[in-house]
Amino acid sequence: MGTKVYDMTDFVDSHPGGPELILQYGGKDVTDIMTDEDSHRHSDSAYEMMEESFIGFIATEKIMDVTAKSSRPDNILPLPPNEHGMDELKAEGAADGVVPEVYAATGMASAEDLERETDALTDYKTHKFLDLNKPLILQVWFGGFDKNFYLEQVHRPRHYKGGASAPLFGNFLEPLTKTPWWIIPSVWGPPVAYGTYLASLGMRSYVQLGSYWVFGLALWTLVEYILHRFLFHLDGYLPNNRAALTMHFLLHGIHHYLPMDKYRLVMPPTLFIVLATPFWKLAHVVFYWDWHIATAVYCGGIFGYICYDLTHYFLHHRTLPSYYQALKRYHLEHHFMDYQHGFGVTSRFWDDVFGTPIVPPPAKMSKAM
């Protein structure tokens, strides 16, 4: 069917229409006959049965021609093609019937899939996880999910009604769960400016102030990496109980479950206060000899956080300059390709240092026709 090949040998004698019909189409593309409503309507279970007999792909003449001309034929063959190979086939008009590579961890093939609207009813019937039309947090709390099942499902992105926010609490708390991106600089910009001013009062020069402030900004990139990798993606170390899974869902799970939700992408101020307060105390413990130095470093770090949250939002929802295009692609790969790597958001520097850059994993399957 298309470029997909099935071995139906074990099903020949069980076919409702008799073995002759299957044998008649042996070695041929059965797309037309399978989708011909007048001839015979095939049920969803028929397609599911076919998937169990899937054995591989066959490249058409068009695909072979494009591959021969390609500077990176390994992006196309062996089929299925990866995202780059699929783009090349589309550009050459050879993508008809080609099924793109789907990444095992997420069930997605490309960044475009992140914005493909999820049929809430079908998704719930298929995966038995969360109904997007009902308050999500109660479903996580009362769902009785095993940790492994929860982690598998929460990292398979969904897209709700064109990017709208799915109900989280479904009551008066709902508005508190949504944060427009502009809230971040509006709320935290003035305190950072005022804190920097206070720090400057105890500095010998603006050069000294700038040095400590920039040090705090640079330090934030490491803090960002550590928080994302070891707190937001605590995954494997989560206790297997509903309290831990619900906390994980609120902290970061919902972002992977609904990554294109514009209002649950930046951190709500109340949550940031909880995370930022220990760092205020830590800065004044480390730089105990000078309150002004500690405050300058802290303000530089908070400015780094502001840049992080704005960068995160723009990577998901804006067309960016060339450098940021590469960063955008890298971060979206963290969502649709491999959530266990690629923890840097404002930079991939610490991923390279600690050996966690994203490397395309092998495909698990092909997308259903």
Side-chain angles (χ1 to χ4, degrees):
M1 183 182 296
T3 59
K4 299 173 72 174
V5 181
Y6 303 88
D7 180 1
M8 305 302 295
T9 304
D10 294 337
F11 181 66
V12 170
D13 292 331
S14 304
H15 185 246
E20 296 80 10
L21 189 59
I22 288 186
L23 296 174
Q24 178 185 345
Y25 285 93
K28 300 176 182 177
D29 187 349
V30 296
T31 302
D32 291 339
I33 190 65
M34 287 291 292
T35 56
D36 184 358
E37 295 283 339
D38 294 331
S39 173
H40 176 65
R41 184 181 183 277
H42 289 86
S43 64
D44 291 341
S45 61
Y47 288 98
E48 291 172 3
M49 188 179 300
M50 284 188 68
E51 288 303 317
E52 294 174 2
S53 302
F54 169 73
I55 58 173
F57 298 89
I58 186 169
T60 64
E61 187 175 342
K62 274 188 176 182
I63 293 173
M64 294 305 296
D65 288 342
V66 175
T67 305
K69 298 173 186 175
S70 175
S71 60
R72 287 294 306 274
D74 57 310
N75 284 336
I76 303 173
L77 295 179
L79 295 175
N82 62 26
E83 188 181 8
H84 305 287
M86 193 67 184
D87 289 342
E88 199 167 348
L89 290 174
K90 287 178 180 177
E92 297 293 332
D96 290 346
V98 178
V99 182
E101 178 183 44
V102 171
Y103 296 101
T106 65
M108 301 225 140
S110 67
E112 287 74 22
D113 283 352
L114 296 172
E115 297 189 84
R116 184 169 288 114
E117 189 165 320
T118 302
D119 184 312
L121 182 60
T122 301
D123 180 70
Y124 181 68
K125 285 182 176 179
T126 301
H127 298 288
K128 303 295 190 295
F129 185 47
L130 304 179
D131 183 343
L132 287 169
N133 290 319
K134 297 178 181 178
L136 300 177
I137 200 67
L138 295 178
Q139 295 180 72
V140 175
W141 181 260
F142 291 111
F145 302 124
D146 173 76
K147 180 180 77 171
N148 293 330
F149 174 76
Y150 163 81
L151 290 173
E152 176 190 344
Q153 288 299 320
V154 85
H155 290 111
R156 296 176 71 88
R158 275 74 164 181
H159 189 56
Y160 183 70
K161 295 184 178 178
S165 297
L168 185 58
F169 289 99
N171 56 27
F172 67 94
L173 294 173
E174 199 71 18
L176 300 178
T177 71
K178 301 175 184 179
T179 309
W181 69 268
W182 51 266
I183 288 289
I184 303 306
S186 300
V187 170
W188 302 118
V192 166
Y194 183 63
T196 302
Y197 164 72
L198 292 179
S200 71
L201 298 179
M203 296 290 177
R204 294 191 300 272
S205 66
Y206 287 117
V207 172
Q208 184 187 30
L209 172 67
S211 297
Y212 283 114
W213 198 90
V214 171
F215 173 73
L217 177 62
L219 191 61
W220 163 258
T221 63
L222 178 59
V223 173
E224 168 198 313
Y225 175 87
I226 291 172
L227 287 176
H228 194 184
R229 180 178 178 182
F230 296 108
L231 178 61
F232 297 165
H233 283 276
L234 188 65
D235 301 0
Y237 299 98
L238 277 176
N240 194 2
N241 62 62
R242 65 180 181 179
L245 300 188
T246 302
M247 185 62 68
H248 178 275
F249 189 76
L250 285 172
L251 188 63
H252 196 60
I254 190 172
H255 175 55
H256 273 267
Y257 191 61
L258 295 162
M260 304 308 286
D261 183 337
K262 293 181 179 181
Y263 296 107
R264 296 199 177 107
L265 209 157
V266 299
M267 193 176 296
T270 48
L271 177 58
F272 182 68
I273 289 174
V274 172
L275 294 177
T277 299
F279 285 99
W280 167 261
K281 296 183 181 298
L282 179 62
H284 286 81
V285 168
V286 173
F287 299 96
Y288 63 91
W289 65 89
D290 194 312
W291 184 93
H292 297 88
I293 289 176
T295 301
V297 171
Y298 186 77
C299 286
I302 298 301
F303 182 77
Y305 156 72
I306 294 172
C307 293
Y308 153 79
D309 243 355
L310 295 183
T311 298
H312 191 198
Y313 180 87
F314 294 144
L315 292 180
H316 279 262
H317 293 290
R318 291 290 187 273
T319 300
L320 301 168
S322 57
Y323 165 74
Y324 284 103
Q325 280 293 334
L327 194 61
K328 177 185 180 83
R329 184 181 189 87
Y330 184 71
H331 179 66
L332 293 184
E333 284 177 348
H334 172 72
H335 283 281
F336 78 80
M337 183 186 295
D338 182 6
Y339 65 87
Q340 295 177 314
H341 295 86
F343 301 106
V345 175
T346 54
S347 167
R348 57 176 291 166
F349 174 78
W350 295 111
D351 279 317
D352 292 330
V353 169
F354 293 113
T356 56
I358 293 174
V359 177
K364 173 185 177 183
M365 58 182 182
S366 64
K367 279 210 158 182
M369 293 296 291

